[in-house]
Amino acid sequence: MELEVRHLRALCAIAETGSLHKAARRLGVSQPSLTTQLRRIENSLGAELFSRERSGCRPTPLGRAVLTRARPLVAEMAALVVEAKAAAARAQGARLRVGSTASSALPGWLGRLRRRLPDTDISLHVDVSANALLRMVSSGQLDVAFVHEVEGCPLLVPDGVFRRVLMEREPQFISMSRDHPAAAAPVVELRDLAEDRWIVDPTVDGEWDGLRRVLAAAGLNPPVLHGDYHTAASLIAVGEAVAPCQPTSGGREDMAVRPLLGDPLAVRLLLCTPPGPQEPYDEVYTDLESAYREAATRAAVYRQWLRRHKSPLITPAA
């Protein structure tokens, strides 16, 4: 078997994540498929490249030597693809491929971009996985990606991808049914939700790990349900569960959104762009900043939080 770039990319992913399971998820393949691929690579080279342990996979001495040569090759191939796609895009006309995790700022951001760039073909790709979007930026499939990074769960940012911080620490609020006892208070304590079921989307990078860390620190071990956003909203509205939510979340008659005392849950908001000159993205960032400010001040509960914390996002009259 001859080694190909995809094989080297797989070896780098296993080394960087330290786990066949995590590497398979990053590469978008099944774990058995990746395990078989690794075995074939090792058979081709005549020795093991990783030692399998309970805590994960660690490169053997031969593995480290191979990775030393593989990483720059993978990076060079990624750069080649990015540059080739950028050249093709320039030949085809102006376009802007936007990626984002879910955000209330998206409609305002896209509207501003379309008004600023009326002759540009603007597309949108939404994904629950911030890491998937970052890989798309790195491979030249997206021009920009607006993502959130759960506190305590760093994203896997590919080499060369540029990051601008929109919000260093955005608090995550709690969504509950309108008639939940805790909804009567302007700020909720975690212990007020100790008897509730929590629902999270396990496909959102870092969300479950971040929530589990915060609950454990508070000495809580509530039952947890896994579901997507629409399922969560239905269960929350009827009092079957509570869930973390973005502070810019729009209000609903059957649900209440409240901040947590001490803001133990938080994310960092980032605009990520490909390697190279960053000036073309200055106005893209400015439009995002304006759209986020608009979404933040439109959400009454978040607006009050921003006032209390004297955030520069909000003026005294807002």
Side-chain angles (χ1 to χ4, degrees), residues 245-269:
C245 69
Q246 297 175 5
T248 53
S249 299
R252 285 179 39 161
E253 291 185 0
D254 53 358
M255 290 168 58
V257 173
R258 297 289 183 269
L260 279 171
L261 183 67
D263 304 311
L265 286 168
V267 301
R268 185 166 64 148
L269 302 182

Short mmCIF file of all heavy atoms in Angstrom, two decimals, residues 245-269:
data_model
loop_
_atom_site.label_atom_id
_atom_site.label_comp_id
_atom_site.label_asym_id
_atom_site.label_seq_id
_atom_site.Cartn_x
_atom_site.Cartn_y
_atom_site.Cartn_z
N CYS A 245 -28.72 28.20 27.44
CA CYS A 245 -29.09 28.85 26.19
C CYS A 245 -28.27 30.13 26.01
O CYS A 245 -27.69 30.66 26.96
CB CYS A 245 -30.58 29.16 26.15
SG CYS A 245 -31.10 30.44 27.32
N GLN A 246 -28.22 30.59 24.78
CA GLN A 246 -27.53 31.84 24.49
C GLN A 246 -28.31 33.00 25.10
O GLN A 246 -29.54 33.01 25.07
CB GLN A 246 -27.39 32.02 22.99
CG GLN A 246 -26.55 30.95 22.32
CD GLN A 246 -26.52 31.09 20.81
OE1 GLN A 246 -27.06 32.04 20.25
NE2 GLN A 246 -25.88 30.15 20.14
N PRO A 247 -27.63 34.00 25.63
CA PRO A 247 -28.34 35.11 26.26
C PRO A 247 -29.12 35.96 25.26
O PRO A 247 -30.03 36.70 25.64
CB PRO A 247 -27.21 35.92 26.90
CG PRO A 247 -26.01 35.60 26.09
CD PRO A 247 -26.16 34.17 25.68
N THR A 248 -28.77 35.83 23.97
CA THR A 248 -29.49 36.58 22.94
C THR A 248 -30.74 35.86 22.46
O THR A 248 -31.43 36.34 21.57
CB THR A 248 -28.57 36.82 21.72
OG1 THR A 248 -28.03 35.56 21.30
CG2 THR A 248 -27.43 37.75 22.08
N SER A 249 -31.04 34.70 23.07
CA SER A 249 -32.20 33.92 22.65
C SER A 249 -33.48 34.75 22.74
O SER A 249 -33.72 35.44 23.73
CB SER A 249 -32.36 32.67 23.52
OG SER A 249 -31.23 31.84 23.41
N GLY A 250 -34.28 34.67 21.71
CA GLY A 250 -35.54 35.41 21.69
C GLY A 250 -36.53 34.82 22.68
O GLY A 250 -36.55 33.61 22.94
N GLY A 251 -37.36 35.66 23.27
CA GLY A 251 -38.33 35.20 24.26
C GLY A 251 -39.49 34.45 23.62
O GLY A 251 -39.84 34.66 22.47
N ARG A 252 -40.06 33.55 24.38
CA ARG A 252 -41.28 32.83 23.98
C ARG A 252 -42.27 32.92 25.12
O ARG A 252 -41.89 32.98 26.30
CB ARG A 252 -40.96 31.35 23.69
CG ARG A 252 -40.26 31.11 22.39
CD ARG A 252 -39.94 29.64 22.15
NE ARG A 252 -40.97 28.72 22.58
CZ ARG A 252 -41.08 27.45 22.17
NH1 ARG A 252 -40.19 26.98 21.31
NH2 ARG A 252 -42.03 26.67 22.61
N GLU A 253 -43.55 32.90 24.79
CA GLU A 253 -44.57 33.03 25.82
C GLU A 253 -44.55 31.87 26.81
O GLU A 253 -44.92 32.04 27.97
CB GLU A 253 -45.95 33.14 25.17
CG GLU A 253 -46.17 34.45 24.42
CD GLU A 253 -47.59 34.57 23.90
OE1 GLU A 253 -48.38 33.63 24.13
OE2 GLU A 253 -47.90 35.60 23.27
N ASP A 254 -44.15 30.68 26.35
CA ASP A 254 -44.19 29.50 27.21
C ASP A 254 -42.84 29.18 27.84
O ASP A 254 -42.68 28.13 28.47
CB ASP A 254 -44.70 28.28 26.42
CG ASP A 254 -43.92 28.05 25.14
OD1 ASP A 254 -43.01 28.84 24.84
OD2 ASP A 254 -44.23 27.07 24.43
N MET A 255 -41.84 30.05 27.67
CA MET A 255 -40.51 29.78 28.22
C MET A 255 -39.95 31.05 28.86
O MET A 255 -40.28 32.16 28.47
CB MET A 255 -39.56 29.27 27.13
CG MET A 255 -39.88 27.87 26.64
SD MET A 255 -38.99 27.42 25.13
CE MET A 255 -37.30 27.63 25.65
N ALA A 256 -39.09 30.85 29.86
CA ALA A 256 -38.41 31.97 30.53
C ALA A 256 -36.90 31.77 30.39
O ALA A 256 -36.41 30.63 30.46
CB ALA A 256 -38.81 32.02 32.00
N VAL A 257 -36.19 32.85 30.20
CA VAL A 257 -34.72 32.83 30.11
C VAL A 257 -34.18 33.65 31.27
O VAL A 257 -34.57 34.81 31.45
CB VAL A 257 -34.24 33.40 28.77
CG1 VAL A 257 -32.72 33.53 28.76
CG2 VAL A 257 -34.71 32.52 27.62
N ARG A 258 -33.29 33.05 32.05
CA ARG A 258 -32.75 33.73 33.22
C ARG A 258 -31.24 33.53 33.31
O ARG A 258 -30.72 32.46 32.97
CB ARG A 258 -33.39 33.18 34.52
CG ARG A 258 -34.88 33.39 34.64
CD ARG A 258 -35.21 34.85 34.88
NE ARG A 258 -36.64 35.06 35.07
CZ ARG A 258 -37.49 35.35 34.09
NH1 ARG A 258 -37.04 35.46 32.85
NH2 ARG A 258 -38.77 35.53 34.33
N PRO A 259 -30.50 34.54 33.79
CA PRO A 259 -29.06 34.37 34.03
C PRO A 259 -28.82 33.51 35.27
O PRO A 259 -29.68 33.43 36.16
CB PRO A 259 -28.56 35.79 34.23
CG PRO A 259 -29.76 36.57 34.68
CD PRO A 259 -30.96 35.92 34.05
N LEU A 260 -27.65 32.88 35.31
CA LEU A 260 -27.24 32.10 36.47
C LEU A 260 -26.40 32.95 37.41
O LEU A 260 -25.57 33.75 36.95
CB LEU A 260 -26.42 30.88 36.04
CG LEU A 260 -27.18 29.65 35.55
CD1 LEU A 260 -26.19 28.65 34.96
CD2 LEU A 260 -27.96 29.01 36.68
N LEU A 261 -26.59 32.78 38.69
CA LEU A 261 -25.81 33.52 39.67
C LEU A 261 -24.33 33.21 39.50
O LEU A 261 -23.92 32.04 39.50
CB LEU A 261 -26.27 33.14 41.08
CG LEU A 261 -25.57 33.89 42.22
CD1 LEU A 261 -25.96 35.37 42.20
CD2 LEU A 261 -25.94 33.26 43.57
N GLY A 262 -23.52 34.23 39.34
CA GLY A 262 -22.08 34.05 39.17
C GLY A 262 -21.65 33.70 37.77
O GLY A 262 -20.45 33.57 37.51
N ASP A 263 -22.60 33.48 36.86
CA ASP A 263 -22.29 33.17 35.46
C ASP A 263 -21.26 32.05 35.31
O ASP A 263 -20.20 32.23 34.68
CB ASP A 263 -21.80 34.43 34.73
CG ASP A 263 -22.78 35.58 34.83
OD1 ASP A 263 -23.97 35.36 34.58
OD2 ASP A 263 -22.36 36.69 35.21
N PRO A 264 -21.54 30.87 35.86
CA PRO A 264 -20.55 29.79 35.79
C PRO A 264 -20.39 29.19 34.39
O PRO A 264 -19.35 28.63 34.08
CB PRO A 264 -21.10 28.74 36.76
CG PRO A 264 -22.59 28.98 36.76
CD PRO A 264 -22.75 30.47 36.62
N LEU A 265 -21.43 29.32 33.55
CA LEU A 265 -21.36 28.81 32.18
C LEU A 265 -21.07 29.96 31.24
O LEU A 265 -21.73 31.00 31.29
CB LEU A 265 -22.68 28.16 31.78
CG LEU A 265 -23.01 26.78 32.38
CD1 LEU A 265 -24.46 26.42 32.10
CD2 LEU A 265 -22.09 25.71 31.78
N ALA A 266 -20.10 29.78 30.35
CA ALA A 266 -19.76 30.86 29.42
C ALA A 266 -19.11 30.29 28.17
O ALA A 266 -18.60 29.16 28.16
CB ALA A 266 -18.83 31.87 30.08
N VAL A 267 -19.13 31.09 27.11
CA VAL A 267 -18.45 30.74 25.86
C VAL A 267 -17.67 31.95 25.37
O VAL A 267 -17.94 33.08 25.77
CB VAL A 267 -19.44 30.29 24.76
CG1 VAL A 267 -20.25 29.09 25.21
CG2 VAL A 267 -20.36 31.43 24.34
N ARG A 268 -16.72 31.70 24.50
CA ARG A 268 -15.99 32.77 23.83
C ARG A 268 -16.44 32.80 22.38
O ARG A 268 -16.52 31.76 21.73
CB ARG A 268 -14.48 32.54 23.91
CG ARG A 268 -13.66 33.68 23.34
CD ARG A 268 -12.20 33.61 23.73
NE ARG A 268 -11.53 32.44 23.18
CZ ARG A 268 -10.24 32.42 22.83
NH1 ARG A 268 -9.49 33.50 22.98
NH2 ARG A 268 -9.70 31.33 22.36
N LEU A 269 -16.79 33.98 21.87
CA LEU A 269 -17.28 34.12 20.51
C LEU A 269 -16.14 34.55 19.61
O LEU A 269 -15.44 35.54 19.89
CB LEU A 269 -18.41 35.15 20.46
CG LEU A 269 -19.63 34.84 21.35
CD1 LEU A 269 -20.70 35.92 21.17
CD2 LEU A 269 -20.21 33.47 21.03
#
